[in-house]
Amino acid sequence: MENIGYYNGAFAPIEELMIPACDRGVYFGDGVYEALRVERHRFFALREHLSRFRASLAFLRIPFEMTDEALTAILQEAADRVESDSQQLYFQVTRGSAIRTHAFPEGAEPNLLVFSRGVPLADLSEHRRVIVLPDTRWEHCNVKSLNLIPSVLAAEAAKERGCCEAVFHRNGVVTECSSSNLLMLKDGVLRTAPADEKILPGVTRGHFLMLARKLGVPVEEIAFTLEEACGADELMITSTSAHGLPVGELEGRAVCGRDDALLRKLQKAYRDYFYASVEN
Ligand code: PMP
């Protein structure tokens, strides 16, 4: 199959999947999600994604009782039903289905939705263009909740201006992007915002920092300003499908391209680690 969807026990192609209108995900976005890579039907960094997923569930106080083993079996079945060797798998859990009322409904059981489809990894060769926008999201960006309207609007604004991402800032200090983290190289140091409540602790970000340390590249988890970003040697976008996408233009201004050697070294270290992990 080209893609698969799953909802509370039933599999169907994504386009045919039906969910009830009273799933609280529909009208409140009352749920959490994860997105991960599946290469040759094997998960990359599943443990890290599950751990972030459990932290998001705990923040929203959603009592999802399915064990990681049982959940993994469903995710594996979904991935196995898709032919592609390079998939992006998405899953979400909402608080449950009930007549609309803001407070938690009595007795609602969490709903599990999964879908997977072939999505190629981003090409990392070319430097890309990004726009800059104020970060108008909430104060808990470390939680992967379904409420993504500021990110949706930012991604659309980037697209309309021929850019691949929108870089968010709060009072001139860079947080992250609409659906990725932003890492900076300056004078041989890898720097990025700390993993606090202002950013999503990206799984890819974590691996980049780990690999840089292993390679002897100093790492600083200290936020940088937009001005510093403009003076960066390189800027890299990281996410599950963007393994260190270089930035070459920020808000119409040419930037970066000054430490290609280290940029390519980190990209390669990540790709090697990624492929080695899915082989083991
Ligand atoms: N920040 C945001 C806001 C995101 O939506 C994502 C992607 N889910 C990331 C960062 C990157 O996270 P990861 O590396 O785990 O895909």
Side-chain angles (χ1 to χ4, degrees):
M1 275 188 160
E2 282 191 9
N3 73 53
I4 195 72
Y6 166 99
Y7 186 73
N8 288 350
F11 283 97
I14 296 171
E15 300 84 353
E16 290 167 27
L17 200 67
M18 302 291 281
I19 70 168
C22 61
D23 182 324
R24 285 171 65 95
V26 173
Y27 52 77
F28 283 138
D30 187 4
V32 303
Y33 75 103
E34 277 298 324
L36 64 149
R37 293 298 304 182
V38 189
E39 298 298 317
R40 278 171 281 139
H41 300 96
R42 304 189 68 162
F43 299 117
F44 175 71
L46 178 64
R47 192 176 44 81
E48 288 93 328
H49 285 280
L50 287 176
S51 135
R52 189 172 64 185
F53 167 66
R54 296 286 175 191
S56 299
L57 284 171
F59 182 87
L60 265 67
R61 295 166 54 201
I62 294 178
F64 181 61
E65 276 159 18
M66 188 183 287
T67 62
D68 282 354
E69 290 67 31
L71 174 60
T72 301
I74 295 169
L75 303 182
Q76 187 68 61
E77 181 169 355
D80 288 346
R81 285 180 183 233
V82 179
E83 269 160 42
S84 171
D85 276 341
S86 201
Q87 300 174 35
Q88 186 93 359
L89 183 142
Y90 173 96
F91 63 98
Q92 71 172 44
V93 168
T94 66
R95 193 175 307 282
S97 301
I99 297 299
R100 186 177 183 275
T101 175
H102 286 64
F104 301 171
E106 294 281 319
E109 295 279 323
N111 295 319
L112 172 63
L113 169 68
V114 182
F115 38 79
S116 197
R117 64 197 173 97
V119 177
L121 290 169
D123 172 10
L124 305 177
S125 51
E126 302 284 317
H127 282 65
R128 308 293 182 92
R129 302 164 63 196
V130 298
I131 60 166
V132 172
L133 287 175
D135 193 341
T136 58
R137 299 173 302 163
W138 68 339
E139 300 296 325
H140 307 284
C141 296
N142 53 323
V143 176
K144 216 161 162 51
S145 102
L146 296 178
N147 298 102
L148 292 174
I149 290 304
S151 300
V152 166
L153 295 177
E156 175 60 20
K159 186 178 154 202
E160 285 171 6
R161 291 176 53 192
C163 294
C164 77
E165 249 298 14
V167 172
F168 283 143
H169 72 94
R170 291 190 194 252
N171 298 319
V173 178
V174 172
T175 51
E176 57 179 338
C177 303
S178 76
S179 61
S180 54
N181 293 111
L182 191 68
L183 278 53
M184 172 172 100
L185 290 176
K186 181 70 181 173
D187 300 329
V189 175
L190 179 63
R191 184 167 161 194
T192 193
D196 58 18
E197 69 292 341
K198 292 194 185 68
I199 69 159
L200 185 81
V203 171
T204 322
R205 169 193 178 280
H207 287 137
F208 261 86
L209 300 190
M210 176 274 289
L211 291 165
R213 287 188 179 106
K214 266 196 179 164
L215 289 168
V217 176
V219 169
E220 285 180 356
E221 291 183 73
I222 303 170
F224 51 86
T225 63
L226 283 172
E227 206 180 318
E228 287 174 303
C230 289
D233 293 336
E234 301 290 351
L235 290 167
M236 286 184 289
I237 291 169
T238 64
S239 75
T240 294
S241 57
H243 298 166
L245 203 59
V247 174
E249 198 183 298
L250 192 99
E251 201 59 36
R253 187 165 155 185
V255 293
C256 303
R258 287 194 284 263
D259 197 349
D260 199 60
L262 187 51
L263 167 75
R264 303 298 173 196
K265 190 171 168 180
L266 290 172
Q267 283 179 340
K268 181 177 182 314
Y270 186 85
R271 278 282 157 98
D272 290 350
Y273 176 74
F274 177 81
Y275 284 113
S277 305
V278 285
E279 264 156 28
N280 289 324

